[in-house]
Amino acid sequence: MSEEKKEQIAAIKKNDRDQAQRYIVWGVVTVLINLSIFYILAHTLNVEYQVANFVAWFLSVQCSFWFEKILVFHHESKHVVKDLSKFYGTRILTFLIESVILWLGISVLGFHEVITKIIGHGLAVLGNYFLSKLVIFKKIVVGDSI
C-alpha cells in the first residue's frame, strides 16, 4: 500500500473518531435536555409520562438536529428542510422504539420512570448516531444522485 493511501486511511479514521467524540459530547447535552424536560414535566408538573416523553423528544430532536448539522458532522447543505425532514423521520422510528420500552418498563413491569427513560433513550441515541452518519449527514460524493 502506498504512503498516500495510508495517509488517506489515517485521515478518514481520524475524522470518524473526531465525529464520534463530538457526537458523544453533543449527544450528552441533548440527552440532558431530553431528561430535564421529561423530569420537569412528569415529576414537577405531573404531566402524563407519554405526553412528557413526546414533548421532551420533540424539543431535544430540534436541538440535536442543529448540534449534529453544525457541530458534529459539519454538514453543508442547501436543503435544510429536506435534511430536517429526514432527521425527524429517523427520529420518529427511534422515538417509537423508546415509547415501547417506556410502556413495557413502566406500565407492564412497573420500573421507575426515569431509570426506564434512561435505558430507552440510551438505545435510541445509539441508533440515532448510525442513522445520522449513514443517512442524513453523509458526505455526498461527486456523482451521487442524492
Side-chain angles (χ1 to χ4, degrees), residues 27-141:
V28 167
V29 172
T30 302
V31 167
L32 292 174
I33 290 168
N34 186 297
L35 291 175
S36 297
I37 293 169
F38 179 79
Y39 183 83
I40 290 166
L41 292 174
H43 286 277
T44 305
L45 301 176
N46 294 319
V47 174
E48 196 271 332
Y49 76 86
Q50 290 287 17
V51 173
N53 187 51
F54 178 77
V55 172
W57 170 82
F58 183 82
L59 294 174
S60 65
V61 167
Q62 192 60 224
C63 293
S64 181
F65 173 78
W66 294 104
F67 292 158
E68 290 183 31
K69 177 176 177 41
I70 296 167
L71 302 170
V72 175
F73 297 106
H74 306 289
H75 186 72
E76 295 179 20
S77 170
K78 293 177 175 60
H79 309 286
V80 175
V81 173
K82 181 180 175 184
D83 292 341
L84 188 58
S85 297
K86 288 193 305 185
F87 194 81
Y88 267 97
T90 60
R91 290 324 193 254
I92 288 170
L93 173 65
T94 57
F95 171 76
L96 292 174
I97 292 168
E98 182 179 346
S99 294
V100 168
I101 291 169
L102 283 173
W103 174 76
L104 283 172
I106 297 168
S107 296
V108 176
L109 301 173
F111 293 154
H112 188 273
E113 290 175 343
V114 175
I115 292 171
T116 304
K117 172 71 175 167
I118 290 168
I119 293 167
H121 195 67
L123 294 172
V125 166
L126 185 63
N128 289 338
Y129 173 74
F130 291 105
L131 290 169
S132 287
K133 182 169 181 60
L134 301 174
V135 176
I136 297 138
F137 300 119
K138 69 179 182 174
K139 296 288 182 199
I140 306 281
V141 178

